[in-house]
Amino acid sequence: MPFVVCYYHAIWSTKHRKPIISQPIEPVLFDTIRHKSQQLKSNIHAVNAAYDHVHVAVEISPAIAVSEWVRQVKAVSARIINREFPDSEDGFYWQKSFGMLSFGKKTLPSVVQYIENQKIHHQNDELEAYLEFIPAD
């Protein structure tokens, strides 16, 4: 029996990068990503989001293509969010594209930490972007 472990850092965005991933949506979204991944025999190590995109550290089963894992996870998560939050303006949709980075087991803890700290990263980015518009004395 072959031994195969494939670690990935997946990133994808909402359609038009609309900032619609709110606190009420996050737990439903994360649970859906975990549940669908479990069905696809793919182990989630971390999942988090900023207002317009998602980061996932995942071990994708070698029995499924990476693009197929992404397609299925994005499809079911959008469907569930639209069902659970029907009053969302214009609905909840993902961009067609995605980013995928592979990494080794030694890197797993730092990737997990990076994903778990997404909101801190983006708060700092937003603060820096805001500070750029403040005139220097």
Side-chain angles (χ1 to χ4, degrees), residues 58-136:
V58 58
E59 258 175 81
I60 297 177
S61 167
I64 185 169
V66 170
S67 59
E68 183 61 16
W69 176 85
V70 173
R71 186 190 70 74
Q72 289 192 39
V73 169
K74 286 169 63 176
V76 74
S77 61
R79 192 167 44 251
I80 296 293
I81 296 301
N82 282 314
R83 185 184 73 207
E84 297 292 320
F85 299 91
D87 296 333
S88 297
E89 185 181 321
D90 299 328
F92 188 98
Y93 300 97
W94 296 115
Q95 284 185 352
K96 290 181 182 180
S97 61
F98 64 92
M100 186 69 71
L101 306 163
S102 62
F103 61 91
K105 186 173 185 172
K106 288 182 180 179
T107 312
L108 179 60
S110 61
V111 172
V112 167
Q113 183 179 22
Y114 176 80
I115 291 171
E116 288 174 348
N117 290 322
Q118 274 305 294
K119 289 177 182 50
I120 294 168
H121 296 307
H122 288 285
Q123 283 175 349
N124 291 339
D125 290 347
E126 290 170 9
L127 177 60
E128 288 175 19
Y130 173 74
L131 291 175
E132 286 180 16
F133 293 100
I134 298 174

